[in-house]
Amino acid sequence: MFFTLLKEVSDCMINTKSQDKALQIVLFDLYIWLIDRTHRIINKQFLEITFMELECVIKDLDKENAISHDFGDRIITKLSELARKADSDGNIVILEIVGLFSGFLDENKEVHFIHSSPERKGKLYKGVFNIATNCIENDFEEGVRRCSNTIGWFTIYSIKQCNGELTKYLIKLAKGMLEISKEMNVSKQTQIFILT
């Protein structure tokens, strides 16, 4: 029943256009609410289904160029905030969001609304960094490593694209992540992971 209802919401959202920004925001906020609610349920399939549907919706909207500048910013901001506010029960939410962000810039599978905007790429990179900082503060080292790995792949991809400014920014974020890890006494293994 949950999947059926969520599929209806997804279908509604997929049929919107960029000028339907207000409707897109309401439907997107429903996904955010569902993620916040379903991560507390013992059966993690509800959360997995929510993220799976959200990813499909974003990619389908992106294919149709139906994501406006403001809505694109909102997607990154709201998901980053959700991951940063996650408590120890929300570690799976953090990993799902970092995975989603990573998938937005998978080589040759990028979503246009981020790939076409250096400003939005920077916002995405900063979002991953902020999530990593939260993971460091909450002693969630798997999340730190996942964020570090994502920043690393973003850096490699940025170098391949010869994008000097964004590459420098990514290296600065990785360095900041390492410095914060040292200050907060994160394990040596994780510090080495960040460094590499």
Side-chain angles (χ1 to χ4, degrees):
M1 183 58 83
F2 179 79
F3 181 76
T4 303
L5 289 170
L6 192 55
K7 198 73 180 155
E8 289 298 318
V9 172
S10 298
D11 289 345
C12 290
M13 196 161 178
I14 288 168
N15 289 313
T16 62
K17 305 290 181 211
S18 60
Q19 58 267 32
D20 301 321
K21 183 176 69 174
L23 178 57
Q24 288 177 333
I25 287 171
V26 169
L27 293 171
F28 177 74
D29 286 351
L30 179 59
Y31 281 99
I32 297 297
W33 180 82
L34 281 171
I35 291 166
D36 188 48
R37 301 295 291 178
T38 58
H39 91 271
R40 299 176 199 285
I41 299 172
I42 292 170
N43 184 345
K44 294 305 175 198
Q45 286 183 325
F46 289 100
L47 184 65
E48 291 168 12
I49 290 167
T50 305
F51 270 108
M52 184 178 67
E53 279 300 304
L54 179 60
E55 181 178 12
C56 289
V57 164
I58 290 171
K59 289 188 173 179
D60 285 347
L61 286 172
D62 185 70
K63 283 178 194 167
E64 299 298 321
N65 289 321
I67 299 176
S68 68
H69 180 80
D70 291 344
F71 183 49
D73 284 347
R74 186 177 185 86
I75 290 170
I76 296 167
T77 303
K78 291 292 267 189
L79 288 169
S80 297
E81 285 174 1
L82 189 62
R84 283 198 322 269
K85 291 177 184 173
D87 52 19
S88 59
D89 290 338
N91 289 346
I92 190 168
V93 172
I94 292 168
L95 297 178
E96 288 283 351
I97 290 172
V98 173
L100 189 60
F101 281 0
S102 178
F104 285 168
L105 288 178
D106 272 350
E107 194 168 2
N108 300 319
K109 297 179 193 171
E110 310 89 348
V111 290
H112 178 74
F113 83 96
I114 293 175
H115 183 66
S116 63
S117 169
E119 177 190 315
R120 207 164 292 124
K121 278 184 186 176
K123 185 173 276 218
L124 184 74
Y125 302 159
K126 182 69 171 175
V128 174
F129 173 80
N130 289 339
I131 294 168
T133 303
N134 181 66
C135 291
I136 292 167
E137 290 171 358
N138 291 303
D139 201 27
F140 180 44
E141 292 200 20
E142 184 182 350
V144 177
R145 289 190 296 271
R146 192 74 65 90
C147 289
S148 173
N149 189 52
T150 299
I151 295 253
W153 282 109
F154 284 166
T155 305
I156 290 167
Y157 189 41
S158 186
I159 290 168
K160 284 182 180 179
Q161 293 177 318
C162 301
N163 195 327
E165 288 305 310
L166 283 174
T167 302
K168 287 178 196 172
Y169 182 59
L170 282 161
I171 292 169
K172 179 182 168 189
L173 292 176
K175 183 180 175 194
M177 199 183 305
L178 180 60
E179 289 168 357
I180 294 167
S181 295
K182 286 179 179 177
E183 285 176 26
M184 298 294 287
N185 296 318
V186 170
S187 73
K188 287 291 180 193
Q189 295 92 333
T190 298
Q191 288 182 33
I192 290 166
F193 190 94
I194 294 169
L195 187 62
T196 55

